[in-house]
Amino acid sequence: MSKTFFQDFMKTHENEVLVIPIRGTYCIYEIPRLAKMMDDSGVIKSEEIRQMYLDVKELGGNYKYAFHLLVTTYLNMDR
């Protein structure tokens, strides 16, 4: 399992940003920074979930939106 899965997966979006609502405040993040954060957090350890992202991309689905939902959920979790 690659330690830089999301960084490699979102490589084509390196010049883009996502607007993430965090507890009522909208924050702007660069996609490469979010991908690195998700890889460093280790929150996605399951190979099946990583495969799901690859399948969505292969089938032509909106994998960027799925990544947006994952990051939004992660950043809004109570720690």
Side-chain angles (χ1 to χ4, degrees), residues 1 5-6 11 14 16 19 30-31 34 41 44 66 71:
M1 204 175 337
F5 174 77
F6 285 109
K11 190 77 166 164
E14 63 184 319
E16 297 179 34
V19 178
E30 296 171 341
I31 289 180
L34 291 171
S41 73
I44 303 296
V71 170

Side-chain angles (χ1 to χ4, degrees), residues 8 10-11 13 16 20 22 25-26 31-32 35 40 43 48 55 61-62 65-66 73 75 78-79:
D8 298 339
M10 300 303 285
K11 190 77 166 164
H13 301 284
E16 297 179 34
I20 309 287
I22 302 174
T25 303
Y26 289 90
I31 289 180
D40 293 346
V43 77
E48 290 81 16
D55 292 345
N62 192 348
Y65 182 71
T73 302
L75 291 174
D78 289 330
R79 294 173 204 197

Side-chain angles (χ1 to χ4, degrees), residues 5 9 49-59:
F5 174 77
F9 187 68
I49 293 175
R50 292 176 184 211
Q51 186 60 47
M52 179 218 41
Y53 277 93
L54 295 173
D55 292 345
V56 168
K57 185 175 183 177
E58 183 179 320
L59 294 171

